[in-house]
Amino acid sequence: MVTSTSVITRAQIEDFLYEEAALLDEWRLREWLELLTDDVVYEVPSTDVPDGDSRNTLFIVADNAERLRIRVEQLLGKSAWAENPKSRTRRMISNVRIRETDGDTLKITANFVIYRMRSGHIDTYIGRYEHTLVQHNGTLKIRYRRAILDLEALQPHGKVSIIL
């Protein structure tokens, strides 16, 4: 647990990101939602405009808290045909860096590799996270998450049906 008067260390942020990755890999998506603030924004820009703005550029994903709750319920239900049966994933997080701190708000970056196994295929998603984390009631929460893919295109993947 992190108190709002303590200095957050990179190790604490890494532990938070590792726990988040485990929740996603284990399909504990409702628990994952608890790591998010009520005003969270989750974005995955297109591979051809990774620095785009979701207000005026086509994004793969541009969700707020409500859309994320709906996405989670769809993924856990039977209506998400792209994830029925569910993929198995394994996430690797590295190069975690604190970029900026302002009171209880931290801007961090980290690299990721996500292996997705489904129907005899393995897809690899490689990229960089940009997070804004806030201390909320003694714990870290995600206010902003941007998963920037290093892929030149989504082929052969074709789609992003998991939460990156």
Side-chain angles (χ1 to χ4, degrees), residues 6 20 27 39-40 46 51 110 114 117 126 129 133 139 142:
S6 66
E20 182 207 13
W27 282 83
D39 61 346
V40 69
S46 65
D51 295 325
I114 303 170
M117 290 72 64
I126 302 166
Y129 288 129
L133 304 178
T139 61
I142 300 169

Side-chain angles (χ1 to χ4, degrees), residues 57-149:
T57 306
L58 183 63
F59 268 45
I60 297 168
V61 176
D63 285 352
N64 61 18
E66 181 60 26
R67 279 286 309 136
L68 278 172
R69 283 190 289 276
I70 292 167
R71 184 181 298 277
V72 163
E73 291 308 314
Q74 287 174 338
L75 287 170
L76 292 174
K78 300 276 188 216
S79 63
W81 63 268
E83 285 301 325
N84 190 6
K86 292 177 178 63
S87 296
R88 289 183 294 142
T89 59
R90 187 62 57 209
R91 294 155 202 277
M92 308 295 161
I93 310 293
S94 68
N95 202 27
V96 176
R97 296 186 287 170
I98 301 171
R99 297 305 203 156
E100 184 180 324
T101 59
D102 183 12
D104 289 345
T105 302
L106 300 103
K107 293 193 177 189
I108 65 151
T109 58
N111 294 336
F112 67 84
V113 176
I114 303 170
Y115 298 100
R116 174 184 179 256
M117 290 72 64
R118 185 167 182 273
S119 302
H121 298 289
I122 299 175
D123 294 322
T124 306
Y125 299 90
I126 302 166
R128 178 180 84 250
Y129 288 129
E130 294 177 354
H131 281 108
T132 299
L133 304 178
V134 295
Q135 294 183 64
H136 181 76
N137 294 331
T139 61
L140 288 172
K141 297 269 189 174
I142 300 169
R143 177 175 287 154
Y144 178 75
R145 174 191 184 95
R146 186 176 188 135
I148 302 164
L149 293 165

